Amino acid sequence: MKSFSTKSLPDQTQQTKRKQKHSIAQDEEGEEEGEDNVEKARCEWDFNLSTIVSSSTSIGAVSDTLGAIEFDPSDTLVATGGIARKIRVYSLSTLLPDEEEHVDSVSSTTLLDHASACDYYVCTPAKLSSLRWKPGSGNRVLGSGDYDGVVMEYDLERKIPIFERDEHGGRRVWSVDYSHWDPVIGASGSDDGTMQIWDPRCEGGKRVATVQPSVSRSPVCCVEFNPFGGALIAVGCADRRAYGYDVRNLGDPVVVFDGHGKTVTYVRFLDDHMIVSAGTDGCLKLWNLDDSTREIRTYKGHVNSRSFVGLSVWRNGGLLGCGSENNRVFVYDKRWGEPIWVHGFDPVAGPGCDHGFVSSVCWGQVGEDQCALLAGGSDGILQVFVGKRKSFSY
């Protein structure tokens, strides 16, 4: 198996390559220092719970699990979807009504109701497992993957479906994504064991290619195009591996990441040279795309043995966020394997009921010294956290 080479990525300057390789070297040096206990994990951020969005009709129920949260590219809108067969769209300004006040206050938390907080909603024919804003659509088109194996696109301005693709044989679609070049192509991963790449410009989404990562047709749980415009697409699979394919030649993977003990549920690009994977072995792993034979770091602390609990990366701050089956949100700094911040969801289930778990997370990508992290629960509650870089340094 050949390693993925940065030479195959389009429009990469030598200066950018040197900076990225230097960043990787720093990460690997940090790993060696951690092994010698030279430097302990520390939190350089103040996180506060800014807003809680719930629904009085779903307290104690599990019918409104939030399986997907997505910021739009400008970080002004947020879309959520899940078991309730409904896409809700919120303005971030509504979810953070007094942003500066909340950043400086530990105790001030705004309580909102889904019905009044969301700008609008769109009903869907099936339960949703994945959402993704379509690049170049001006925040107007949102793609989704659902439990019936269908990929759809919705015109949010008109609140109607405008595209439907049913090519996974009725098997659940776990993940959808779009490329970051023009023309835009889409990809979907499914329980049918395939990743399919398709052209949304064609009626019914003409299939460009189909990839079966594992011989046993293990479910494909996640797909993500390189958000920096490179030719790589990452795939997470139930065969315990993550794969990288060059979209210009999909015959065989150009890189394979083999290190998880159970299903790989998520893959996320941290930058153009590093990727993060999550598995139901309760671990996150950081990998170097140029050397898949050795992981850079393993992150442990959250609980994940059976459910999709979300994974998101904040690239500007080098932070990783994920949910947990003990109903907590975990934040890791890419430099250390232990969590730097943990927050528990308050239990809302009645006596004898499952206390639930954090089922989805998403970072906003705008900003350098301040960030927003959204987390959704299996009870349908959405929590909004604001982080601010501490003013002092160690």
Side-chain angles (χ1 to χ4, degrees), residues 135-370:
S137 68
N139 300 339
R140 179 171 176 169
V141 178
L142 187 70
S144 71
D146 68 31
Y147 279 39
D148 289 347
V150 179
V151 174
M152 300 189 73
E153 290 181 353
Y154 292 89
D155 184 322
L156 298 180
E157 188 173 291
R158 294 185 290 163
K159 302 180 182 62
I160 60 171
I162 56 174
F163 172 87
E164 180 175 336
R165 186 174 191 278
D166 185 5
E167 296 293 333
H168 284 286
R171 303 294 298 277
R172 184 178 308 184
V173 171
W174 285 114
S175 180
V176 295
D177 195 21
Y178 294 100
S179 67
H180 297 266
W181 61 78
D182 186 28
V184 171
I185 59 174
S188 53
S190 167
D191 262 346
D192 68 358
T194 69
M195 173 189 69
Q196 296 188 13
I197 296 180
W198 33 270
D199 189 340
R201 297 172 301 173
C202 301
E203 183 178 354
K206 180 182 178 181
R207 186 186 307 180
V208 176
T210 298
V211 175
Q212 181 183 314
S214 69
V215 176
S216 59
R217 294 187 73 96
S218 297
V220 173
C221 301
C222 184
V223 296
E224 181 166 282
F225 285 96
N226 184 341
F228 304 97
L232 196 68
I233 182 170
V235 181
C237 197
D239 68 353
R240 308 179 183 183
R241 296 179 178 90
Y243 301 85
Y245 289 88
D246 188 322
V247 295
R248 298 164 299 187
N249 183 5
L250 290 163
D252 293 301
V254 293
V255 63
V256 177
F257 304 104
D258 188 356
H260 282 283
K262 295 178 69 176
T263 295
V264 175
T265 48
Y266 300 97
V267 285
R268 298 285 184 259
F269 284 86
L270 184 59
D271 59 31
D272 208 12
H273 281 260
M274 290 188 288
I275 196 169
V276 182
S277 60
T280 52
D281 54 0
C283 296
L284 309 182
K285 291 182 180 292
L286 180 65
W287 306 89
N288 182 349
L289 288 170
D290 297 318
D291 182 9
S292 64
T293 60
R294 186 173 73 91
E295 65 195 56
I296 298 173
R297 190 163 293 109
T298 295
Y299 307 88
K300 292 183 178 181
H302 61 288
V303 179
N304 187 199
S305 62
R306 66 179 186 275
S307 303
F308 284 75
V309 297
L311 172 66
S312 184
V313 299
W314 182 36
R315 300 181 180 98
N316 291 343
L319 301 182
L320 323 176
C322 69
S324 178
E325 289 165 9
N326 61 1
N327 216 24
R328 296 178 179 179
V329 183
F330 283 72
V331 173
Y332 297 90
D333 188 301
K334 70 176 184 178
R335 296 171 291 180
W336 301 295
E338 301 80 31
I340 61 168
W341 184 78
V342 180
H343 179 86
F345 273 36
D346 291 332
V348 297
C353 296
D354 188 346
H355 289 289
F357 60 96
V358 176
S359 53
S360 54
V361 295
C362 189
W363 292 98
Q365 295 300 323
V366 174
E368 296 286 343
D369 297 318
Q370 188 166 309

Side-chain angles (χ1 to χ4, degrees), residues 51-109:
T51 306
I52 298 176
V53 188
S54 62
S55 175
S56 58
T57 60
S58 64
I59 298 295
V62 293
S63 60
D64 201 16
T65 298
L66 294 177
I69 305 172
E70 285 292 322
F71 276 94
D72 79 305
S74 67
D75 274 10
T76 58
L77 298 175
V78 175
T80 68
I83 303 300
R85 303 175 188 239
K86 186 181 294 185
I87 297 172
R88 294 188 179 102
V89 178
Y90 307 81
S91 295
L92 188 60
S93 58
T94 301
L95 298 178
L96 296 173
D98 300 302
E99 184 174 324
E100 292 186 2
E101 174 184 343
H102 289 314
V103 170
D104 297 327
S105 172
V106 176
S107 59
S108 181
T109 300

